[in-house]
Each structure stands twice: as C-alpha cells, then as structure tokens.
Amino acid sequence: MIKNLHHVGIVVKDLDETIKTYTTMLGAGPASTMEMGPMRKADFKVGGSLLEFFHGGEGSPFAGW
C-alpha cells in the first residue's frame, strides 16, 4: 500500500499553458521553475507531494513527446 507519494514527473507539450492551468486549478503558482539546457521544468506543491512538469526542446530526451 502506498502511504506517501514524493513526486510525479509529467512531460507536457506546452509548459506555459500547463503553468496557467495548474495555477488556476490549485490557486497558487509554481513553487519553482528551472531551465536545464533544452528542457524547462515547473514544480507545483500539492499537499506533501510535488508535481514536476517537463517540456523538452530540441535535443532534450523529451523532444517530440
């Protein structure tokens, strides 16, 4: 039985739109954002868990997803 979920990583096609949607749904913006080479990431805290949204630019492991 799962008692705690630390984080979930989700690859999205449009990170800016995802940030807008989750900011509206959760009533708060991302806890952090980061650019990592061709990839961008936004983290949202939900209770004791973290939702990590990734967008991969060209050359990233997630390009074309």
Side-chain angles (χ1 to χ4, degrees):
M1 169 186 261
I2 298 173
K3 295 184 180 185
N4 188 16
L5 186 62
H6 185 269
H7 70 279
V8 175
I10 303 166
V11 177
V12 298
K13 290 187 181 202
D14 187 333
L15 186 61
D16 294 325
E17 191 61 36
T18 299
I19 290 171
K20 288 178 192 175
T21 299
Y22 276 83
T23 296
T24 299
M25 285 179 19
L26 299 173
S32 66
T33 59
M34 182 183 302
E35 291 195 29
M36 304 172 292
M39 292 180 27
R40 293 174 56 217
K41 178 177 98 152
D43 298 331
F44 284 84
K45 289 188 178 184
V46 181
S49 301
L50 192 66
L51 293 177
E52 296 180 313
F53 294 100
F54 294 92
H55 175 264
E58 189 166 329
S60 82
F62 303 126
W65 283 31

